């Protein structure tokens, strides 16, 4: 089993920044991709950013130029640097890890952008 634990969420004013972290532990022995998704109240979970095992990042259009995803492969950790935050970024942010045919999810961390 793989366990994912997110941290770094909180309350921030519009224009502010937060850095989310996700640490994976457990039976991790193969190549995998990691990513961040978010779910706002009343909405479906949506892609924020992903990063491949080769460190190729991919971003949703809504966050391009504001968010940056990075990973430290040896530590099984992925980060999401969020700048210029907007109220519409408010959501629970979930980390995931994909290895072969299995997808693992964290429990989520709340990000609230409000004045």
């Amino acid at each position: 089993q793989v366990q994912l634990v997110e941290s770094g969420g909180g309350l921030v004013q519009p224009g502010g920044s937060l850095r989310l972290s996700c640490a994976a532990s457990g039976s991790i022995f193969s190549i995998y991709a990691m990513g961040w998704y978010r779910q706002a109240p009343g909405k479906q979970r949506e892609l924020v950013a992903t990063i491949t095992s080769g460190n190729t990042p991919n971003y949703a259009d809504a966050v391009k130029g504001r968010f940056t995803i990075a990973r430290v492969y040896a530590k099984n950790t992925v980060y999401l640097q969020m700048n210029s935050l907007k109220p519409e970024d408010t959501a629970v942010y979930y980390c995931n890890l994909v290895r072969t045919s299995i997808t693992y999810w964290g429990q989520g961390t709340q990000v609230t952008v409000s004045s």
Side-chain angles (χ1 to χ4, degrees), residues 42-71:
K43 293 190 173 183
Q44 294 181 303
R45 187 175 299 184
E46 66 178 8
L47 171 72
V48 176
T50 62
I51 187 163
T52 69
S53 61
N55 289 327
T56 300
N58 301 280
Y59 300 96
D61 288 342
V63 306
K64 285 182 179 178
R66 299 188 297 119
F67 292 10
T68 302
I69 188 170
R71 72 187 298 167

Side-chain angles (χ1 to χ4, degrees), residues 32-102:
Y32 57 90
M34 297 186 74
W36 290 94
Y37 291 70
R38 67 187 182 186
Q39 187 166 20
K43 293 190 173 183
Q44 294 181 303
R45 187 175 299 184
E46 66 178 8
L47 171 72
V48 176
T50 62
I51 187 163
T52 69
S53 61
N55 289 327
T56 300
N58 301 280
Y59 300 96
D61 288 342
V63 306
K64 285 182 179 178
R66 299 188 297 119
F67 292 10
T68 302
I69 188 170
R71 72 187 298 167
V72 180
Y73 212 118
K75 297 176 66 176
N76 299 317
T77 300
V78 64
Y79 304 93
L80 185 68
Q81 178 66 47
M82 305 186 295
N83 299 324
S84 302
L85 283 161
K86 305 174 181 179
E88 51 263 45
D89 295 319
T90 296
V92 177
Y93 284 70
Y94 297 91
C95 173
N96 87 334
L97 181 153
V98 180
R99 184 181 64 182
T100 61
S101 62
I102 302 174

Side-chain angles (χ1 to χ4, degrees), residues 6 19 111:
E6 303 98 334
R19 183 177 176 86
V111 172

